[in-house]
């Protein structure tokens, strides 16, 4: 048995995992943000609920693990930021621990049980509050030991003009410290920022998408700019990785029409031609972080020689 966790800034979700098709969610708990002892005790409470000692804990978490120091960078949960989290949890809980970024776990879930089944190279794109991603090759997560592969949302590469006719796009400040990142325009907050910049109107991303689907002119202009800005860097990622499927997660993936527009634009900008959809809505609609963490933990068990005696 493995206990998998999906940990974000709001909630800790856990599940008992016996195999890829036997994942049983446990009640969610609030994430302690500023008290590391409470954070550990919350994990202990979930383990106790499982009713047996697991072979391993597998964690999907917001933030990135440095592959050299194994320390986590996690602004959303200050009490774990900068810690060698896996080692500290192993010492506190007396169990083996494997940790991966939540976008990586989403991609692993889609590659194993979702839209990426049957594909050698799967690039998972997150279009949520911001932009993230992960890469799985031959069923293995590239970032299995930590790292920044797949973080296509960061780097000063956003176009300064986009849409038809072209509109000027400022280089917005990004939370990573740079300016002009795709993260500043590609997530839900980015879509809202674009709409306000182009039309001087504050609207929620859901409202912009609904207005676009109803034929509103301003919303149509915003979506045209948005798709243009997102599709070119995503096409470059596909050219570089050779991905043959791109499952999309995050809140904006709920709009199949928007994902369809991005797919058509991306397929028109890559070297290889696909007659089928390439950028698709993720199929693991329920807790893909838990599924991805479970698959990561099961794989690590195999590498370590199976369950503990």
């Amino acid at each position: 048995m493995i206990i998998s966790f999906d940990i974000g800034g709001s909630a800790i979700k856990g599940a008992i995992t016996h195999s890829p098709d036997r994942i049983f969610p446990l009640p969610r708990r609030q994430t302690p943000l500023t008290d590391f002892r409470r954070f550990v005790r919350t994990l202990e409470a979930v383990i106790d609920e499982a009713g047996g000692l697991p072979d391993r804990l597998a964690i999907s978490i917001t933030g990135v693990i440095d592959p050299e120091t194994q320390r986590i960078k996690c602004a959303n949960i200050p009490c774990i930021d900068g810690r060698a989290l896996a080692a500290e949890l192993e010492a506190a809980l007396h169990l083996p621990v494997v940790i991966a970024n939540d976008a990586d776990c989403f991609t692993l879930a889609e590659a194993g049980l979702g839209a990426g089944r049957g594909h050698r190279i799967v690039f998972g794109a997150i279009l949520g509050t911001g932009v993230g991603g992960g890469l799985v090759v031959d069923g293995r997560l590239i970032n299995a030991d930590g790292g920044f592969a797949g973080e296509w949302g960061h780097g000063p590469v956003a176009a300064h003009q986009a849409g038809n006719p072209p509109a000027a796009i400022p280089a917005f400040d990004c939370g990573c410290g740079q300016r002009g990142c795709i993260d500043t325009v590609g997530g839900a907050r980015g879509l809202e920022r674009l709409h306000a910049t182009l039309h001087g109107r504050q609207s929620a991303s859901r409202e912009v998408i609904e207005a676009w689907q109803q034929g509103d002119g301003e919303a149509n202009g915003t979506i045209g700019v948005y798709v243009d800005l997102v599709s070119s860097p995503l096409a470059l990622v596909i050219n570089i990785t050779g991905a043959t499927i791109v499952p999309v997660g995050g809140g904006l993936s709920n709009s199949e029409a928007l994902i369809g527009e991005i797919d058509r634009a991306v397929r028109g900008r890559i070297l290889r031609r696909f007659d089928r959809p390439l950028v698709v809505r993720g199929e693991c609609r329920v807790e893909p972080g838990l599924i991805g963490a479970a698959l990561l933990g099961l794989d690590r068990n195999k590498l370590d020689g199976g369950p503990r005696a």
Side-chain angles (χ1 to χ4, degrees), residues 126-233:
I126 301 295
L127 299 177
T129 302
V131 175
L135 182 63
V136 169
V137 178
D138 292 329
R140 301 297 303 278
L141 181 64
I142 293 297
N143 285 341
D145 295 317
F148 296 83
E151 290 290 348
W152 69 292
H154 295 284
V157 298
H160 299 298
Q161 287 190 323
N164 186 22
I169 308 299
F172 297 107
D173 291 332
C174 183
C176 74
Q178 301 187 89
R179 302 183 70 211
C181 292
I182 298 303
D183 190 75
T184 67
V185 294
R189 301 295 83 78
L191 178 59
E192 293 162 1
R193 183 179 292 117
L194 287 173
H195 196 64
T197 299
L198 294 168
H199 307 296
R201 193 183 304 281
Q202 298 291 336
S203 299
S205 58
R206 173 182 51 79
E207 295 171 339
V208 175
I209 292 171
E210 288 177 355
W212 164 61
Q213 291 182 293
Q214 293 168 7
D216 179 81
E218 288 186 353
N220 186 64
T222 298
I223 295 297
V225 168
Y226 173 84
V227 170
D228 198 8
L229 286 169
V230 168
S231 298
S232 289

Side-chain angles (χ1 to χ4, degrees), residues 51-290:
L53 191 64
D55 298 303
R56 184 182 305 277
L57 305 182
I59 299 174
S60 165
I61 197 162
T62 178
V64 179
I65 306 294
D66 187 300
E68 294 183 1
T69 66
Q70 292 300 302
R71 294 186 179 275
I72 188 170
K73 181 63 179 174
C74 182
N76 291 350
I77 310 174
C79 70
I80 67 172
D81 187 44
R83 292 180 180 270
L85 187 60
E88 292 194 41
L89 290 179
E90 286 181 346
L93 299 171
H94 309 291
L95 288 167
V97 175
V98 59
I99 300 177
N101 169 265
D102 51 2
D104 289 336
C105 286
F106 164 82
T107 307
L108 195 57
E110 287 295 328
L113 299 174
R117 286 172 296 179
H119 292 264
R120 278 197 61 236
I121 304 176
V122 180
F123 184 80
I126 301 295
L127 299 177
T129 302
V131 175
L135 182 63
V136 169
V137 178
D138 292 329
R140 301 297 303 278
L141 181 64
I142 293 297
N143 285 341
D145 295 317
F148 296 83
E151 290 290 348
W152 69 292
H154 295 284
V157 298
H160 299 298
Q161 287 190 323
N164 186 22
I169 308 299
F172 297 107
D173 291 332
C174 183
C176 74
Q178 301 187 89
R179 302 183 70 211
C181 292
I182 298 303
D183 190 75
T184 67
V185 294
R189 301 295 83 78
L191 178 59
E192 293 162 1
R193 183 179 292 117
L194 287 173
H195 196 64
T197 299
L198 294 168
H199 307 296
R201 193 183 304 281
Q202 298 291 336
S203 299
S205 58
R206 173 182 51 79
E207 295 171 339
V208 175
I209 292 171
E210 288 177 355
W212 164 61
Q213 291 182 293
Q214 293 168 7
D216 179 81
E218 288 186 353
N220 186 64
T222 298
I223 295 297
V225 168
Y226 173 84
V227 170
D228 198 8
L229 286 169
V230 168
S231 298
S232 289
L234 187 53
L236 181 59
V237 168
I238 293 165
N239 280 345
I240 291 171
T241 63
T244 56
I245 195 74
V246 182
V248 182
L252 293 182
S253 72
N254 291 324
S255 172
E256 293 190 45
L258 180 61
I259 299 305
E261 287 294 314
I262 294 171
D263 174 57
R264 283 185 285 275
V266 167
R267 283 191 286 136
R269 303 179 191 200
I270 56 176
L271 291 174
R272 182 178 176 183
R273 293 302 178 206
F274 290 88
D275 293 329
R276 58 165 176 83
L278 172 64
V279 181
V280 299
R281 191 180 185 218
E283 292 181 1
C284 297
R285 306 311 300 171
V286 180
E287 312 297 2
L290 281 176

